[in-house]
Amino acid sequence: MDLFSARWSNTVGGITNVYHILYADVQLSPTTPTRIQELKLVSTNTAGGDDNIIIHDVLNVTKTMLFDTERLTFATNDTDAATPYGGVNLLNMDVVWANSTPRLQYLTNQGGIQTFNSIFFGRGANTPYDVTDDKPYQVFVNSGAVTNYGSSIHAVDFVNSGVFHAYSGGITLQDTVNATMTNGIFNAQAGAIGIEAGTLLVSNHTFSAATSLALTITNSLDDGTAFVVTGAATAYPHPDNVTNKNSWVVGRQGLTLSKLPPRASLLATTISNYIATTVGTPKSAITWAGREAGKSTSGFTNNAALGRLILDGGPVGQFSFKNVVGETNALYVDSLELLNNATNRNLAGEFTKLSVDPNMRVYFGQAIANGVSVAEKLDGKAGGRFVWLSSFNEGHYSSSFVVYPDGSTNRLNTALVESCTLDSDGDGIVNCQDSSPVMVGGYSAGVAVLASGTDPLLISWSAPSYSTNRLYAADSLTSTNWQPLTNWLVGPGEISNRTTLILGPVGGRVTVSEPINAGQRYYRPRVDRQ
């Protein structure tokens, strides 16, 4: 309470008035948080019973703390309680969490844990307790908030739907068999995030790392789009149907998937790699252990494929795609989006701020630079290591529905149907002006045989984009020995001695040259779409 007292007099016309004023500035509060110097709570239940301590109040500890228990719970309270949940605030940086919880195996946090140092969530080696080395918790369930310098989490089973906020260090998860992260947040505002687990299910969960994000998953990595098995059937949930998509942000040191789990899909996940610095030439490394499946849409299945990868180079940033050492890898991404410095190109059309290592490939269904598709421009760049998969028409971010004149609705690759340079169905009309730009459904080859009585005989048909074409010949329709022909005309006067001719994003007529033989001859074309 602050007091101020003043007295004065005032005389006017022979009349004197005397004044006295007292000001009282009251800052008293009817309640104040508890402050505990030495906190020691011990669970002494008999063997076989619940060895548990449950905290419903907020404990502010200033000197020492000990929770001597196997199970510790910071619980929620009724709506009319003085505090909505229990928790602990460690006000002394000398209090070490692992030393203060020597027997803890099961931790449930529905409230708040706050410290001014880092926390090792695991059983530390301490005397006089019979713990000889660091061991993980059996179970750690967090639906509340953990705020500290940084967190190192060691738990066999880990469940998070709350918030971990590290204001200076990083957040790591280790020694984990099963990790389930839904509707929660890992925020390392000045550090890195690292996840090591056998199985990771992550849905509507935010990772925000100022430096890097590293994933080491050995069994299953799933954001809701990995396959599910029902009886003998296997299905792959479509990203369209995943409402709880992930949004992750990583900084200047990039992104790493060090292993490819047997079961892996991130098609409902967006990762933004942002380089904020304005000095030097910082390069963010993206190391990805996806398998190289070639120019095939199968690379998007069970291969840790990403939904969206956003590269924001800021004023000076660069990005490098790398393979795992000793492996040949690929990253399949539904939509690759470039912002700011990452969009820079030279006169040859190369994206100067992007590079791909020799044993690495980046396959994409769509590529966007500052909101405009550059899928055709990026295709084949970096020595052919950027590859546009225009036949990929199932992407949540890279495909769209097109209604054809016959009333059918077809899902097609957006960049392909909007191209004003490609004529995918070979009808003479570029895709962006064509009401049916891509041939869909079954394909029946209309074969033309051209002969003028002189060699050679020419057999041709109109083939769609991304098709594999073969021609077989036999002396009889009932023959069991159809032989593939090899004299493909691939250009004016140019003959290729291959059994197949594979078209890219542009369809058109294909032709085989065959010497005229005496007698009867039958031909059978085969056309397969990728």
Side-chain angles (χ1 to χ4, degrees):
M1 178 184 294
D2 294 327
L3 300 177
F4 172 77
S5 178
R7 177 189 296 271
W8 70 91
S9 61
N10 185 27
T11 302
V12 178
I15 300 175
T16 300
N17 295 303
V18 178
Y19 300 90
H20 176 218
I21 293 179
L22 173 65
Y23 288 99
D25 184 9
V26 180
Q27 300 180 21
L28 298 179
S29 175
T31 61
T32 186
T34 60
R35 295 174 68 87
I36 304 169
Q37 288 195 45
E38 298 178 355
L39 174 66
K40 182 178 180 180
L41 299 177
V42 181
S43 174
T44 58
N45 291 355
T46 58
D50 289 336
D51 186 5
N52 195 3
I53 293 176
I54 302 175
I55 307 296
H56 285 274
D57 203 353
V58 177
L59 308 177
N60 299 285
V61 180
T62 62
K63 188 175 180 182
T64 62
M65 181 188 77
L66 175 64
F67 290 119
D68 187 357
T69 185
E70 182 183 72
R71 301 170 184 265
L72 176 62
T73 301
F74 296 101
T76 58
N77 296 318
D78 293 336
T79 56
D80 59 349
T83 58
Y85 47 76
V88 61
N89 297 327
L90 299 181
L91 306 178
N92 186 345
M93 294 182 63
D94 293 333
V95 178
V96 178
W97 178 271
N99 295 345
S100 302
T101 57
R103 293 196 301 115
L104 190 60
Q105 296 187 51
Y106 301 86
L107 175 60
T108 301
N109 178 41
Q110 300 171 347
I113 299 174
Q114 181 171 332
T115 72
F116 291 102
N117 55 13
S118 296
I119 292 184
F120 175 88
F121 286 105
R123 297 168 57 190
N126 292 275
T127 57
Y129 300 95
D130 186 19
V131 179
T132 57
D133 58 355
D134 294 337
K135 296 180 180 179
Y137 294 154
Q138 292 300 307
V139 179
F140 185 0
V141 178
N142 178 62
S143 58
V146 177
T147 304
N148 54 17
Y149 186 92
S151 290
S152 179
I153 307 163
H154 299 252
V156 176
D157 289 309
F158 177 73
V159 179
N160 184 61
S161 59
V163 177
F164 280 82
H165 177 71
Y167 52 81
S168 186
I171 303 172
T172 60
L173 178 65
Q174 296 174 272
D175 301 321
T176 302
V177 176
N178 298 301
T180 302
M181 302 184 185
T182 57
N183 308 306
I185 298 173
F186 271 19
N187 180 25
Q189 68 178 33
I193 294 176
I195 308 293
E196 296 181 12
T199 297
L200 173 60
L201 172 62
V202 54
S203 175
N204 194 35
H205 197 286
T206 296
F207 292 148
S208 181
T211 56
S212 64
L213 170 64
L215 302 175
T216 304
I217 312 299
T218 58
N219 185 38
S220 175
L221 173 61
D222 184 11
D223 65 353
T225 59
F227 66 82
V228 294
V229 178
T230 304
T234 301
Y236 294 84
H238 199 283
D240 289 351
N241 301 323
V242 178
T243 58
N244 296 322
K245 295 179 173 62
N246 297 310
S247 180
W248 303 345
V249 178
V250 299
R252 61 189 179 275
Q253 294 181 12
L255 176 67
T256 300
L257 177 69
S258 58
K259 296 180 179 180
L260 179 65
R263 180 175 185 264
S265 180
L266 292 173
L267 283 169
T269 297
T270 295
I271 301 180
S272 300
N273 191 181
Y274 175 55
I275 300 177
T277 183
T278 59
V279 296
T281 55
K283 179 178 289 187
S284 175
I286 301 168
T287 304
W288 205 256
R291 71 177 181 276
E292 166 61 288
K295 193 174 181 179
S296 169
T297 58
S298 65
F300 285 92
T301 301
N302 200 30
N303 195 22
L306 280 177
R308 280 197 303 174
L309 178 60
I310 301 173
L311 305 180
D312 188 342
V316 294
Q318 301 181 25
F319 300 91
S320 175
F321 292 88
K322 296 182 175 296
N323 58 293
V324 176
V325 175
E327 298 182 12
T328 298
N329 298 121
L331 168 62
Y332 289 78
V333 56
D334 186 358
S335 181
L336 178 62
E337 303 181 15
L338 311 176
L339 297 174
N340 296 314
N341 202 55
T343 67
N344 291 1
R345 287 186 289 164
N346 60 20
L347 294 177
E350 289 287 343
F351 287 75
T352 58
K353 303 303 179 182
L354 308 180
S355 63
V356 184
D357 282 4
N359 291 328
M360 184 69 183
R361 296 291 185 276
V362 179
Y363 296 91
F364 55 91
Q366 172 69 288
I368 295 174
N370 290 332
V372 178
S373 177
V374 291
E376 292 180 73
K377 294 180 175 64
L378 184 60
D379 186 28
K381 294 300 186 289
R385 293 187 284 273
F386 279 113
V387 183
W388 175 32
L389 273 177
S390 62
S391 57
F392 181 54
N393 60 359
E394 287 296 326
H396 178 76
Y397 300 101
S398 67
S399 64
S400 55
F401 292 94
V402 180
V403 180
Y404 273 31
D406 63 3
S408 64
T409 300
N410 302 287
R411 186 165 191 157
L412 303 172
N413 184 278
T414 302
L416 181 64
V417 300
E418 293 179 351
S419 171
C420 291
T421 60
L422 301 179
D423 176 16
S424 296
D425 59 1
D427 62 356
I429 305 174
V430 293
N431 293 351
C432 66
Q433 299 176 4
D434 197 341
S435 59
S436 55
V438 179
M439 190 171 293
V440 296
Y443 180 76
S444 176
V447 179
V449 179
L450 305 179
S452 62
T454 59
D455 284 345
L457 180 70
L458 302 180
I459 304 100
S460 70
W461 59 88
S462 181
S465 61
Y466 294 108
S467 62
T468 299
N469 298 265
R470 301 175 179 89
L471 183 65
Y472 299 89
D475 294 333
S476 169
L477 284 175
T478 60
S479 173
T480 59
N481 187 28
W482 289 83
Q483 297 296 317
L485 302 185
T486 60
N487 293 327
W488 289 92
L489 296 179
V490 295
E494 179 183 354
I495 296 179
S496 172
N497 292 316
R498 296 179 300 171
T499 59
T500 60
L501 183 64
I502 302 174
L503 296 187
V506 179
R509 295 201 70 82
V510 296
T511 305
V512 180
S513 172
E514 170 77 332
I516 294 179
N517 296 319
Q520 193 166 251
R521 189 82 159 153
Y522 295 88
Y523 300 97
R524 176 183 292 171
R526 175 173 175 172
V527 181
D528 296 304
R529 290 295 303 276
Q530 290 187 26

